[in-house]
């Protein structure tokens, strides 16, 4: 596996002007959540971020985070949810192939993490209770009112600034410094003017995401997505895996990833899958449905890419258009000219480029209620019809460094490295090892819950009290 040059350097100690208890590589949702929880515990840290403005995959996401038992859930009258029920949903989607200890850890930590971010750092969550995302048995998807990943990142950055947390941007970490016992003692990083600097630390958290932006790694590990559009952040270059491989760390679930079957083309925007869940359909260039859309948007990417030209059309009607317009990403795609209005079946057939009789048969089958693939439709679509051209895309990878439930990185023999932690996209997630294992929100689940857990572990490692729940 190749990628950017990521190195290890051996030294008993580092010569550095600055030394902090905890260094965090990556300023996305994972790194900033961890930093905020460390600040709550009185533990100093520095966040090292490669970009001029921290964003990463978190900013490009919808910003939706699944969590059970939160204050927000209770305020909305949602009863009967629990960490156990959430864990069961995660495993059901992954066909039992998600790491059980991590599933339990994340499902138990994410509710307290969101409540802590709300109570102590001003992130005011809303609950998306108009529909159920694929695989979730109860309404537990949280978001900020703006319903975007960019808003989530802005809120986390504002909270970090208010807490006085140093976030050093344009700092590209390329070297981990370890002593002879594999204890991290610092990191070397590159500044925009070419200077190299070193930061000493007592513990290190890798929160630098996955490998979706590393074309060669994707082609090797995820060949079915080798030529797909990439909807993630180019900084997802596989750094954590490269460091881990050099260190002899164990890797896990490298075949797991989040795809999306609703990447608007050629505009390059995301269209919410809520439209599919509430009665919309995907049609190929022949006017046929080709999968059960309610199974999930991740595996839909593979189904769409298997169609002629790797293209599909999201087709829906006026009530579903109103739903779609409640999501900022769709509004941006519409403003860019992605939405086509068709006042008749004939006009829709012309838009798609298919034969009208085949398209009519597809629409009539929806009105019959149950489709051959098992999907049940509450109603058929009615004119005017709306269509958006989409393709399948890779958003982020779900495999990475294997970790203990406390986020410490594991060696090949399963023993933890002394003070190296990984979370979020840098670590193996809870989606198993295939595209269909991704439960909606698993990416930000592992980022926020992982960052929350890693902060508790790091605080313990450096001799401070753990952050309170």
């Amino acid at each position: 596996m190749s990628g950017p040059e990521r190195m290890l350097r051996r030294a008993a100690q580092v010569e550095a002007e600055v030394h902090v208890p905890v260094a965090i590589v990556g300023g996305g949702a994972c790194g900033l959540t961890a930093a905020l929880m460390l600040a709550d515990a009185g533990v100093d840290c520095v966040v090292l971020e490669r970009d001029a403005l921290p964003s990463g995959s978190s900013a490009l996401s919808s910003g939706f985070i699944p969590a059970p038992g939160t204050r927000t859930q209770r305020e909305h009258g949602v009863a009967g949810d629990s960490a156990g029920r959430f864990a069961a949903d995660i495993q059901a989607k992954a066909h039992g192939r998600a790491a059980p200890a991590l599933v339990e850890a994340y499902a138990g930590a994410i509710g307290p993490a969101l409540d802590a971010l709300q109570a102590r750092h001003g992130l005011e969550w809303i609950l998306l209770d108009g529909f159920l995302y694929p695989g979730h048995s109860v309404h537990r998807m949280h978001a900020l009112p703006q319903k975007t990943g960019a808003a989530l990142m802005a809120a986390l950055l504002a909270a970090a600034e208010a807490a006085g947390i140093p976030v050093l941007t344009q700092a590209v970490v390329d070297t981990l410094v370890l002593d002879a016992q594999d204890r991290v003692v610092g990191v070397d990083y590159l500044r925009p003017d070419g200077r190299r600097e070193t930061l000493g630390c007592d513990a290190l958290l890798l929160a630098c995401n996955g490998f979706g932006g590393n074309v060669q790694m994707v082609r090797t590990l995820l060949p079915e997505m080798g030529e797909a559009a990439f909807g993630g952040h180019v900084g997802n270059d596989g750094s954590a895996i490269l460091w881990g491989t050099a260190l002899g760390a164990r890797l896990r679930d490298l075949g797991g990833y989040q795809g999306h079957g609703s990447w608007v083309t050629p505009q390059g925007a995301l269209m919410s899958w809520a439209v599919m869940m509430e009665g919309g359909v995907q049609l190929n260039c022949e006017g046929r449905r080709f999968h059960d859309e309610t199974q999930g948007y991740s595996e839909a990417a593979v189904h769409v890419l298997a169609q002629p030209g790797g293209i599909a059309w999201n087709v829906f009607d006026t009530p579903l258009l109103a739903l779609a317009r409640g999501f900022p990403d769709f509004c941006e795609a519409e403003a860019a000219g992605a939405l086509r209005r068709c006042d008749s079946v004939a006009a829709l057939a012309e838009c798609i480029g298919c034969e009208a009789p085949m398209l009519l048969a597809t629409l009539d089958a929806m009105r019959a209620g149950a489709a051959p693939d098992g999907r049940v439709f509450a109603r058929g679509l009615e004119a005017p019809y709306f269509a958006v051209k989409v393709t399948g895309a890779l958003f982020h990878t779900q495999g990475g460094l294997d970790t203990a439930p406390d986020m410490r990185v594991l060696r090949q023999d399963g023993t933890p490295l002394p003070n190296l932690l990984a979370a979020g996209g840098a670590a193996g997630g809870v989606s198993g090892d295939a595209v269909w294992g991704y439960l909606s929100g698993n990416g930000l689940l592992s980022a926020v819950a992982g960052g929350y857990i890693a902060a508790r572990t790091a605080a313990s490692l450096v001799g401070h009290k753990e952050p309170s729940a």
Side-chain angles (χ1 to χ4, degrees):
M1 291 181 291
S2 67
E5 191 173 12
R6 295 292 180 258
M7 300 166 286
L8 305 179
R9 177 164 70 86
R10 296 290 178 174
Q13 58 186 15
V14 295
E15 298 294 329
E17 292 185 3
V18 179
H19 183 283
V20 292
V22 183
I24 300 172
V25 180
C30 179
L32 292 179
T33 296
L36 290 167
M37 297 302 107
L38 286 167
D40 290 343
V43 179
D44 290 336
C45 69
V46 169
V47 178
L48 299 156
E49 166 58 42
R50 58 172 285 162
D51 292 337
L53 178 67
S55 59
S57 292
S58 301
L60 296 173
S61 73
S62 296
F64 300 162
I65 309 172
T70 63
R71 168 183 159 187
T72 301
Q73 228 188 4
R74 291 191 297 271
E75 289 173 349
H76 280 72
V78 176
D81 201 10
S82 65
R85 182 171 181 174
F86 185 23
D89 286 350
I90 293 171
Q91 284 290 18
K93 191 68 174 68
H95 298 187
R97 289 162 66 168
L102 279 184
V103 172
E104 181 180 356
Y106 286 170
I110 189 63
L114 294 195
D115 283 350
L117 289 171
Q118 181 170 7
R120 300 200 293 258
H121 299 288
L123 277 72
E124 294 296 332
W125 306 109
I126 62 171
L127 191 70
L128 302 180
D129 58 1
F131 53 91
L132 281 175
Y133 274 87
H136 289 280
S137 61
V138 67
H139 294 119
R140 61 167 72 100
M141 200 68 79
H142 295 67
L144 294 180
Q146 301 93 328
K147 299 181 185 177
T148 66
L152 174 63
M153 280 301 301
L156 289 170
L157 278 169
E161 182 177 357
I165 297 168
V167 179
L168 184 61
T169 58
Q170 295 182 295
V172 180
V173 178
D174 59 13
T175 304
L176 308 188
V177 188
L178 303 99
D179 66 16
Q181 289 72 47
D182 288 336
R183 180 176 293 277
V184 180
V185 294
V187 296
D188 298 335
Y189 57 95
L190 188 66
R191 301 294 282 148
D193 61 3
R195 286 182 295 119
R196 294 185 59 79
E197 298 181 358
T198 299
L199 175 70
C201 62
D202 299 322
L204 176 66
L205 168 61
L206 298 178
C208 45
N209 221 290
F211 62 88
N214 185 320
V215 174
Q216 187 165 343
M217 289 179 74
V218 170
R219 287 175 176 167
T220 300
L221 298 170
L222 308 174
E224 71 271 27
M225 300 302 286
E227 305 303 321
F230 178 49
H233 188 268
V234 292
N236 297 356
D237 57 14
S239 292
I241 289 176
L242 296 173
W243 279 316
T245 300
L247 193 53
R250 194 161 70 188
L251 305 178
R252 182 169 54 77
D253 291 340
L254 295 182
Y257 63 96
Q258 185 218 329
H260 209 295
S262 193
W263 185 248
V264 179
T265 184
Q267 289 80 5
L270 176 66
M271 178 173 166
S272 172
W273 204 249
V275 174
M276 296 299 111
M277 296 302 294
E278 291 300 294
V281 291
Q282 291 199 307
L283 307 182
N284 62 18
C285 65
E286 298 172 347
R288 302 175 187 268
R289 289 183 60 245
F290 49 89
H291 70 120
D292 178 356
E293 299 88 345
T294 63
Q295 293 303 300
Y297 53 73
S298 185
E299 55 266 55
V302 178
H303 295 309
V304 170
L305 289 171
Q307 302 311 302
I311 292 298
W313 292 86
N314 290 354
V315 176
F316 47 102
D317 59 9
T318 300
L320 295 172
L321 175 61
L323 172 65
R325 284 174 171 164
F327 295 88
D329 289 341
F330 178 84
C331 294
E332 292 175 8
E334 182 179 1
L339 185 67
R340 320 282 181 88
R341 175 185 169 123
C342 305
D343 289 321
S344 65
V345 172
L348 180 60
E350 183 177 358
C351 173
I352 294 174
C354 66
E355 297 295 327
M358 173 55 66
L359 176 59
L360 182 60
T362 298
L363 297 175
D364 284 345
M366 294 175 60
R367 294 186 179 92
D373 57 22
R375 181 175 178 182
V376 176
F377 291 93
R379 65 179 184 86
L381 300 178
E382 302 295 339
Y385 304 102
F386 298 92
V388 174
K389 188 178 182 181
V390 299
T391 187
L394 170 64
F395 267 47
H396 56 81
T397 54
Q398 287 282 289
L401 298 174
D402 198 5
T403 64
D406 64 1
M407 302 298 111
R408 286 185 297 168
V409 175
L410 299 176
R411 299 183 178 93
Q412 290 288 347
D413 64 3
T415 60
L417 289 159
N419 64 342
L420 178 63
L421 298 89
V430 290
S431 300
D433 57 358
V435 63
W436 40 255
Y438 185 87
L439 180 69
S440 300
N442 268 4
L444 281 173
L445 165 67
S446 62
V448 176
Y452 179 85
I453 295 168
R456 299 175 71 89
T457 303
S460 176
L461 288 173
V462 301
H464 286 67
K465 66 177 183 179
E466 292 184 351
S468 58

